[in-house]
Amino acid sequence: MDNLSMLEKYADLILKKGINLQPNQNVILKSNTDAMDLNRLIVKRAYELGAFHVYVDIGDDEISRLHLSLAPEEALEKFYTYKIDGFTQMLKEDAALISIACPNIDLFKDISPLRLGKSNKASAIAGKEFGSIISNQDVCWTIASYVTDEWARKVFPDLELSYAKEKLWEKVYEATRVNLKDPIKAWDEQSSSLLNRCAKLNEHNFKYLEYTSSTCNLKIELVENHVWLGGSGKNKNGVEFIPNIPTEEVFTVNDKFGIDGSVKSTKPLNLSGVMVTNFSFDFKDGRIVDFSAETGYEVLKNYLDIDEGARYIGEVALVPFDSPISKTNMIFENTLFDENASCHLAFGRAYPSCIKGGDKMSEDALSEAHVNRSLTHIDFMIGSDDLSIFGIEQDGKKIEVFKKGNWAF
């Protein structure tokens, strides 16, 4: 496999379909030192495609770990906003955002959960306006992943590193359709397929969804005037973009106070470089009233305690068990991939675009409509091969939506 030519196709996909780069547009690229070859390709291709200015913000895992390990505790609660303020201003001026995830699964495993929690909360508070612009889909934005040494070792621990990385890149290119002759065309077809699925769901205008499986027993109420979205989105100017590469999901917004029952995760969750495994939630009137985790309990607790909305669900997403990513029979240990192999929920902030007119609603109006507001948004996987989902329409008619983990219509 010629990884350079594949990376070039990957960079083009990110720019042409991910953010749908427009002439003379500013671009924010948030990435990591591990991904410098991809970073440089993105910058090069962005200018060749007509970008006005590409602002690159590069992080470094080891420096982040040293800060969290050694800085005074008070420093972890202090977040200087000059950088996030600048990014926010750029987004307000219609810049596009590219985020490159460089998984380092165990990076913070030895950091005190309390220190992690303080740092995460300070960052979330400082980035509230930035996050709102993204969740409102005011701008074009996308997230893609880069194969790091640490990620490859974690997914293929028994392989020699170079082979593990090559094998994982093959899986990434397969999942993102970069391995196909024309990835752009393939993504046009994928977006069309997901949008058609959304149209079918929107026709039913379900009031409730009922989930049952060996690990799940939930009743989820959807907000009035909810909208199913998936594949591509449109920013405030009507420009189409793909937020997640890859994506196999369709999603909507639940009623904040309308979830009851219990659910156990079906895939692990990486939170701030700490793996949270075999965790479960109990819900009453929408709130997580009890939870457990085999590993990572304290880190999960800190996320759930960021604010009042973190204990409530903000997203309901459907992904068939036979999706292409699921068929790899791999645990990617990367939420961007694992969430697209499994039905999932997200605790924390909801997407206003999932309610009719939501992008024009104030925070108070969204709250009054029972759309969850929070500083955080964390997806967790609940799909399985025995998952059954029924949708209950406004008149009480019951429709089978999922059967044995896959679409029933």
Side-chain angles (χ1 to χ4, degrees), residues 44-165:
K44 177 177 181 290
R45 288 297 292 138
Y47 281 123
E48 289 174 349
L49 291 169
F52 183 76
H53 181 82
V54 183
Y55 187 95
V56 182
D57 181 42
I58 301 294
D60 180 85
D61 284 346
E62 182 60 20
I63 289 174
S64 297
R65 193 189 66 79
L66 289 169
H67 172 69
L68 283 166
S69 300
L70 303 175
E73 198 164 294
E74 295 79 7
L76 302 180
E77 299 176 290
K78 177 70 173 179
F79 192 99
Y80 293 97
T81 64
Y82 66 92
K83 186 180 290 186
I84 196 71
D85 288 346
F87 292 153
T88 301
Q89 182 61 37
M90 290 180 71
L91 292 184
K92 287 179 177 179
E93 295 175 2
D94 202 32
L97 172 68
I98 298 169
S99 297
I100 303 298
C102 297
N104 191 339
I105 287 46
D106 295 322
L107 178 63
F108 301 135
K109 67 179 181 180
D110 297 325
I111 305 296
S112 158
L114 181 62
R115 290 175 67 87
L116 273 173
K118 289 184 175 183
S119 177
N120 288 333
K121 186 170 184 177
S123 175
I125 291 172
K128 183 178 180 180
E129 185 177 11
F130 180 89
S132 293
I133 293 171
I134 297 301
S135 64
N136 288 347
Q137 296 201 11
D138 289 343
V139 299
C140 294
W141 59 275
T142 196
I143 302 174
S145 290
Y146 182 89
V147 173
T148 61
D149 292 357
E150 293 77 13
W151 186 19
R153 287 192 186 102
K154 193 73 176 181
V155 177
F156 298 114
D158 298 327
L159 299 181
E160 190 272 327
L161 179 59
S162 62
Y163 184 55
K165 290 182 71 175

Side-chain angles (χ1 to χ4, degrees), residues 230-249:
S232 60
K234 290 185 178 180
N235 74 359
K236 62 185 179 182
N237 298 319
V239 178
E240 193 171 7
F241 67 101
I242 297 177
N244 292 347
I245 300 176
T247 184
E248 303 289 339
E249 67 176 309

Side-chain angles (χ1 to χ4, degrees), residues 253 256 308-310 312-314 347-350 370-374:
V253 59
K256 176 179 179 179
E308 183 264 351
Y312 292 84
I313 296 300
F347 62 81
R349 182 175 59 251
H370 294 185
V371 175
N372 194 31
R373 313 312 294 143
S374 176

Side-chain angles (χ1 to χ4, degrees), residues 328-370:
T328 65
N329 294 316
M330 286 176 52
I331 301 294
F332 279 87
E333 304 201 45
N334 176 346
T335 301
L336 182 60
F337 285 79
D338 288 333
E339 72 171 3
N340 285 295
S342 171
C343 287
H344 54 276
L345 303 173
F347 62 81
R349 182 175 59 251
Y351 292 112
S353 51
C354 286
I355 183 172
K356 292 177 182 177
D359 57 335
K360 297 179 176 61
M361 296 170 69
S362 67
E363 289 291 301
D364 288 344
L366 289 166
S367 294
E368 289 173 8
H370 294 185

